[in-house]
């Protein structure tokens, strides 16, 4: 039934692509001075990594202003993603970012459900190595930020998650974990644009609590930090971006809440081998633009983890480097999608991007 539902969604998205092409043809024939209130597009999703294997799907997205008279707020973004992988995983998600009242308020909403078939590494067994596991996940997150000073925002968010996980050969007992996370955050944002910054700083500090009194089985906390800075290059045509990020787990961190090397913080890891309670990473990325809609990037970084069940993985340096391709998804706003290929320590990965890595 789940696979049939996913097929129907993918078929609907394909229909929307055709309908959008027809609509674009009509719009091109209209007066060029008339600006669309909603910029809509459907992006194909094609990717591959060593864990999930081939990934296919579709991502319809819309960019718009909640108040047409508000030209100070960035445009809001809403979308849906439906992805199926050849290892039997699937994900369906919706995402929204809303900017209101001349960028005084920023609101986000995200929800995802799906089956995630993956693997993890264990060395405290008679036969150490990779073991498969499957997690059925349902997650909903809502949050809001308000500007409290020039370029400074403060916010709160709530995240509900339910995980049901089974393990190959019963190397760990089957488990169902439900978490309720409360987050307080601060953000300094001096970027000249939220979707493709050429200059400025975006710095975040987040504290997430999972208290027992809020329906959690055990008490745990996380502190997440990131500092991103952007430098214009070649007279503002290209960008040099730099990033530091840290995730620090405190208390009883559930298996599903652990951080795994990979993703935007250190690309080049997809096996799921290196995981622990916390991670720190630094990286740099050069973004070279050519033509009206295309660009390429080159990036490199270093990361380390702690709190791994495999002691020899802790506090080691894990490098990652790679290249990527970018394509502008919307006409009225610089917002890219793309594909990154990266190599790490005895690993590699390919990543589909919605927006920039950071």
């Amino acid at each position: 039934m789940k696979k049939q539902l996913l097929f129907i969604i993918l078929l609907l998205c394909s229909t929307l692509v055709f309908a959008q092409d027809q609509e674009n043809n009509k719009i091109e024939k209209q007066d060029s001075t008339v600006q669309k209130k909603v910029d809509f597009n459907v992006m194909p999703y094609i990717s591959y990594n060593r864990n999930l294997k081939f990934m296919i799907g579709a991502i319809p997205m819309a960019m718009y202003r909640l108040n047409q008279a508000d030209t100070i707020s960035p445009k809001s973004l809403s979308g849906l993603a439906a992805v199926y992988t050849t290892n039997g995983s699937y994900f369906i998600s919706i995402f929204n970012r809303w900017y209101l009242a001349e960028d005084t308020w920023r609101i986000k909403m995200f929800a995802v459900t799906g089956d995630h078939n993956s693997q993890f590494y264990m060395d405290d067994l008679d036969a150490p190595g990779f073991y498969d596991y499957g997690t059925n996940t349902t997650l909903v997150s809502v949050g809001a930020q308000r500007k409290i000073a020039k370029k400074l925002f403060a916010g709160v968010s709530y995240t509900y998650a339910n995980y049901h996980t089974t393990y190959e050969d019963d190397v760990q007992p089957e488990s169902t974990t439900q978490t309720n996370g409360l987050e307080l955050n601060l953000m300094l944002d001096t970027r000249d644009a939220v979707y493709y910054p050429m200059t400025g700083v975006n710095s975040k500090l987040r504290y997430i609590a999972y208290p027992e009194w809020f329906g959690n089985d055990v008490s745990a906390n996380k502190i997440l930090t990131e500092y991103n800075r952007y430098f214009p290059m070649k007279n503002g045509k290209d960008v040099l971006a730099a990033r530091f990020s840290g995730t620090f787990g405190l208390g009883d961190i559930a298996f599903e809440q652990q951080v795994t090397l990979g993703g935007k913080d250190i690309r080049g890891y997809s096996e799921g081998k290196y995981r622990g309670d916390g991670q720190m990473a630094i990286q740099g990325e050069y973004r070279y633009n050519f033509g009206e809609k295309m660009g390429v990037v080159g990036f490199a970084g270093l990361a380390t983890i702690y709190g791994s069940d495999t002691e020899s993985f802790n506090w080691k340096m894990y490098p990652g480097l790679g290249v990527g391709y970018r394509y502008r998804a919307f006409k009225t706003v610089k917002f890219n999608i793309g594909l990154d290929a990266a190599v790490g320590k005895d690993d590699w990965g390919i990543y589909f991007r919605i927006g920039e890595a950071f």
Side-chain angles (χ1 to χ4, degrees):
M1 180 63 185
K2 292 176 180 177
K3 292 183 179 180
Q4 291 174 340
L5 176 61
L6 184 60
F7 176 78
I8 292 171
I9 291 175
L10 292 176
L11 181 63
L12 175 61
C13 291
S14 299
T15 304
L16 289 174
V17 172
F18 176 77
Q20 177 64 15
D21 288 340
Q22 300 302 311
E23 182 65 19
N24 286 341
N25 291 335
K26 294 179 181 178
I27 291 171
E28 289 173 359
K29 296 177 182 179
Q30 296 175 355
D31 187 348
S32 60
T33 61
V34 177
Q35 184 177 5
K36 290 187 295 181
K37 291 184 179 181
V38 178
D39 196 353
F40 177 77
N41 213 333
V42 180
M43 307 298 171
Y45 186 102
I46 302 174
S47 191
Y48 177 88
N49 67 39
R50 301 174 71 184
N51 193 353
L52 296 173
K53 307 305 179 183
F54 281 102
M55 294 168 273
I56 57 173
I59 308 173
M61 294 186 295
M63 192 169 283
Y64 52 92
R65 294 192 187 279
L66 292 171
N67 181 355
Q68 295 298 315
D70 181 3
T71 58
I72 295 177
S73 296
K75 285 192 172 182
S76 297
L77 178 69
S78 297
L80 179 147
V83 178
Y84 178 77
T85 81
T86 54
N87 85 337
S89 301
Y90 80 93
F91 311 93
I92 301 173
S93 68
I94 57 174
F95 52 91
N96 296 277
R97 299 179 190 173
W98 294 300
Y99 300 89
L100 303 90
E102 297 185 344
D103 204 19
T104 300
W105 287 94
R106 297 182 175 185
I107 299 173
K108 66 175 183 177
M109 191 277 286
F110 174 77
V112 62
T113 187
D115 284 331
H116 180 202
N117 299 316
S118 188
Q119 62 182 11
F120 71 110
Y121 186 84
M122 291 187 69
D123 68 348
D124 57 349
L125 299 172
D126 293 335
F130 286 102
Y131 289 84
D132 292 336
Y133 71 92
T135 299
N136 179 267
T137 300
T138 299
L139 184 147
V140 179
S141 181
V142 293
Q145 291 180 318
R146 192 188 192 284
K147 184 182 293 184
I148 59 174
K150 185 178 181 180
K151 305 298 184 179
L152 182 65
F153 294 81
V156 296
S157 70
Y158 164 71
T159 301
Y160 165 84
N162 184 282
Y163 310 98
H164 178 75
T165 303
T166 57
Y167 301 89
E168 178 188 10
D169 297 333
D170 296 324
V171 294
Q172 290 192 28
E174 180 178 333
S175 65
T176 298
T177 303
Q178 179 177 300
T179 63
N180 296 275
L182 292 173
E183 175 183 321
L184 301 175
N185 57 66
L186 284 172
M187 179 176 69
L188 176 66
D189 189 0
T190 66
R191 295 172 296 175
D192 60 333
V194 297
Y195 295 119
Y196 193 88
M198 302 290 293
T199 184
V201 169
N202 181 231
S203 182
K204 299 177 183 178
L205 174 62
R206 302 165 58 196
Y207 171 76
I208 308 175
Y210 302 92
E212 291 185 46
W213 59 262
F214 201 54
N216 297 288
D217 293 334
V218 294
S219 178
N221 301 279
K222 280 186 176 182
I223 297 175
L224 295 89
T225 63
E226 60 181 271
Y227 178 83
N228 307 305
R229 186 157 188 177
Y230 308 92
F231 305 91
M233 308 294 289
K234 292 178 62 177
N235 296 320
K237 183 179 179 181
D238 299 340
V239 185
L240 176 64
R243 173 181 173 85
F244 165 81
S245 63
T247 300
F248 308 96
L250 309 171
D252 295 317
I253 302 299
F255 174 82
E256 296 87 356
Q257 293 176 306
Q258 287 185 318
V259 62
T260 305
L261 281 190
K264 69 179 183 179
D265 286 323
I266 182 70
R267 286 160 280 182
Y269 296 85
S270 62
E271 281 189 309
K273 182 176 183 178
Y274 305 106
R275 64 186 301 138
D277 292 345
Q279 169 188 281
M280 289 178 285
I282 58 172
Q283 64 175 308
E285 179 172 289
Y286 191 90
R287 300 168 181 170
Y288 172 75
N289 294 290
F290 60 93
E292 293 294 325
K293 291 187 174 183
M294 292 185 287
V296 293
V297 302
F299 51 87
L302 282 172
T304 189
I305 61 172
Y306 72 88
S308 173
D309 292 335
T310 304
E311 290 290 335
S312 61
F313 292 168
N314 290 325
W315 303 113
K316 299 294 178 62
M317 289 290 105
Y318 299 97
L321 72 158
V323 295
Y325 169 77
R326 297 291 183 268
Y327 180 81
R328 182 167 175 168
F330 295 102
K331 293 182 179 180
T332 58
V333 175
K334 176 79 168 173
F335 181 93
N336 288 336
I337 62 168
L339 202 64
D340 293 340
V343 294
K345 181 180 179 181
D346 301 321
D347 202 352
W348 57 274
I350 297 176
Y351 308 87
F352 184 87
R353 299 240 67 90
I354 303 174
E356 302 305 319
F358 57 89

